[in-house]
Amino acid sequence: MIVVAEQDPKSLILVIADMARSNPPLENSFVAELARRLQGQSSALALPLTWIEQRLSESGLTIEQQVQSETQSQAASQVSISNSIGSLRRLGCDGLA
């Protein structure tokens, strides 16, 4: 989408229309990553953000809520992985004793 906006801005509306027709599930990770990539870009990319905001508002959600939820999920996963690695290390050390 960003490449299209830079190389052929007139085609951006077609890309957005295709995305709207495909009706992708607005999972936290998708919304967070797309918003991160689109924010601060050219004004032409405000349209996809507006579309996402509209879709989310139909469910009573916002981009900010989705981003926050994804951030919390990633943090929880990171803690879980860290705990798993620590447990494996302890098991490895116990097996050597």
Side-chain angles (χ1 to χ4, degrees), residues 46-61:
L47 184 58
L49 279 174
T50 301
W51 174 75
I52 290 172
E53 287 172 347
Q54 176 61 37
R55 283 270 321 273
L56 289 173
S57 71
E58 293 169 2
S59 302
L61 299 169

Side-chain angles (χ1 to χ4, degrees), residues 9-38:
K10 293 177 184 176
S11 295
L12 182 60
I13 193 71
L14 299 174
V15 172
I16 296 166
D18 287 343
M19 192 167 83
R21 269 194 299 275
S22 72
N23 200 23
L26 296 182
E27 302 291 331
N28 295 346
S29 56
F30 172 77
V31 172
E33 184 64 18
L34 187 60
R36 184 185 69 77
R37 289 182 182 220
L38 295 181

